Amino acid sequence: MKLVLAIVHDEDGPKVADELNKNGFSVTKLCSTGGFLKAGNTTLLVGVSEEKVDQVIKIIKQKSKSRKQAINSNMTPNNIGGMFMPYPVEVVVGGATIFVLNVDRFEKA
Ligand code: 2BA
């Protein structure tokens, strides 16, 4: 068995989870926060047999979009009297960041 762990944009989380459910996969949705943007994102956990992993990844990719997000970077020197000013930086976030982990044991009690 494998555990697919997918980090997706908050706006895509419900769509991805719904589509996985429709296709018969159990999903756990966690609220998470990206370390870089410090913005909310969604982490999905899907336990599946090895032969279903590709199908799960396909659904996640289909339902998650990549987006450009602007942030104020760390302070940087400007030219006026050595003052420090924040400046905007654009990063591309997602579609999805996906990890596939081995599951040693799975039980439901
Ligand atoms: P964040 O850490 O908030 O990162 C958001 C986006 O900022 C990233 O998009 C990437 O484009 C950029 N970014 C992240 N760290 C950077 C850095 N040190 N320098 C420059 N740009 C940086 P994605 O790569 O699509 O990642 C989206 C979210 O997925 C991340 O949110 C984080 O929550 C998670 N993630 C991505 N890679 C990961 C990894 N290797 N381990 C754990 N979580 C990861």
Side-chain angles (χ1 to χ4, degrees):
M1 187 175 203
K2 300 281 182 182
L3 181 68
V4 180
L5 191 158
I7 302 158
V8 299
H9 197 279
D10 267 348
E11 284 173 23
D12 295 334
K15 284 182 278 179
V16 178
D18 284 354
E19 192 64 20
L20 287 166
N21 278 160
K22 271 190 217 158
N23 283 272
F25 298 108
S26 290
V27 183
T28 297
K29 198 160 120 353
L30 305 174
C31 296
S32 44
T33 304
F36 188 68
L37 293 181
K38 315 273 186 273
N41 53 29
T42 297
T43 299
L44 300 168
L45 306 179
V46 191
V48 280
S49 56
E50 193 160 358
E51 62 271 18
K52 301 267 187 176
V53 167
D54 287 342
Q55 191 188 348
V56 167
I57 290 175
K58 192 173 163 197
I59 292 169
I60 295 168
K61 283 183 176 171
Q62 276 170 353
K63 294 290 169 181
S64 41
K65 287 190 290 184
S66 71
R67 294 169 175 82
K68 286 184 180 164
Q69 231 159 300
I71 51 159
N72 277 327
S73 85
N74 291 330
M75 306 293 240
T76 189
N78 71 5
N79 294 327
I80 311 163
M83 284 174 62
F84 286 81
M85 295 283 288
Y87 67 103
V89 171
E90 205 171 59
V91 292
V92 177
V93 184
T97 299
I98 302 170
F99 301 88
V100 180
L101 292 77
N102 290 323
V103 175
D104 287 340
R105 183 165 162 170
F106 171 70
E107 283 189 34
K108 280 189 175 178

